[in-house]
Structures are given as C-alpha cells and as structure tokens.
Amino acid sequence: QVQLVESGGGSVQAGGSLRLSCAASGYTYDSGFITWFRHAPGKEREGVAAFWASFDVTYYADSVKGRFAISLDKAKNTMYLQMNSLKPEDTAMYYCAAGRPSRTTFWSHDDEYTYWGQGTQVTVSS
C-alpha cells in the first residue's frame, strides 16, 4: 500500500521559512514525478514544484520561483520543499503527490497524479 506522509507545516510570519517533507512508503522515488501542490480556500489547487526523479529535473510555478526549492533524498525516499521568503499568499494546505504525467508540461496538472498525501497546513501571517 502506497502512503505519502507530509510534515513540516506550521505558522510563520511573512519573510520566514519552512521546510516541508514528504516521506513515501510502498513507493520508491526513483522515477516519475514527485510534486508539491497547494490548495487555498476559494482557489483552485495549484502545482507549486515538481521533481522529475528519472532525470533530476525540477519545475516551479512562477509564483514561487526563486523562493522555494524542491529536493529529493533517494536514500531516505523523502522529498522536501524548502520555502523561503514566505508571503501571506503562500497560505494553503500543501500536498505531495506522485505519478507519471503524460507530458512533462503537464507536471502541474493534478489529474496526472496517482498517489497523494493527506496534506500539511502552512499559514503565513503579515
């Protein structure tokens, strides 16, 4: 049984940092995409950052480029999202997902992913 478990969320002030983790069991992060999504109330779920494990290639939404960094520790089978210079608009529930998008340009399409974690809340206050 595949399980993705997120951790590391919390409440910070604007300008602060958090590091999210996504540990996998029953699934090996050695190929396909592992991606962070976020969902804020009243907004659509948004792909934030992705890691293409087959080629160690990363993708970012424009809204987080230069502030967030996704990484993968294959030995620990754990993915991370380092979030710096956080803004109130980053407030959301953050989910990790694993799958094999039919095209790399579809990395941020949530319907391309098979496995999802339960989410971890990130709240940024101004």
Side-chain angles (χ1 to χ4, degrees):
Q1 181 180 0
V2 175
Q3 279 193 317
L4 304 180
V5 179
E6 303 98 333
S7 61
S11 297
V12 296
Q13 290 193 328
S17 298
L18 284 173
R19 189 176 81 153
L20 306 183
S21 300
C22 177
S25 59
Y27 185 92
T28 302
Y29 287 154
D30 59 356
S31 63
F33 278 66
I34 310 99
T35 299
W36 287 98
F37 288 85
R38 65 186 181 187
H39 194 187
K43 296 184 179 180
E44 292 188 355
R45 187 158 52 186
E46 174 189 21
V48 173
F51 193 104
W52 188 6
S54 302
F55 298 100
D56 290 356
V57 175
T58 58
Y59 302 82
Y60 295 95
D62 288 343
S63 57
V64 305
K65 277 180 183 176
R67 300 188 299 121
F68 290 11
I70 189 171
S71 61
L72 177 61
D73 186 332
K74 293 183 179 179
K76 294 183 178 179
N77 212 32
T78 299
M79 178 179 65
Y80 303 97
L81 184 68
Q82 179 66 42
M83 305 186 296
N84 299 326
S85 302
L86 283 162
K87 305 175 180 180
E89 51 263 43
D90 294 318
T91 295
M93 184 72 80
Y94 283 71
Y95 300 88
C96 61
R100 297 178 182 274
S102 53
R103 297 183 179 185
T104 58
T105 50
F106 291 172
W107 71 265
S108 62
H109 295 197
D110 56 9
D111 57 356
E112 296 280 335
Y113 291 83
T114 304
Y115 303 107
W116 290 82
Q118 82 290 347
T120 186
Q121 177 67 38
V122 172
T123 303
V124 184
S125 58
S126 58

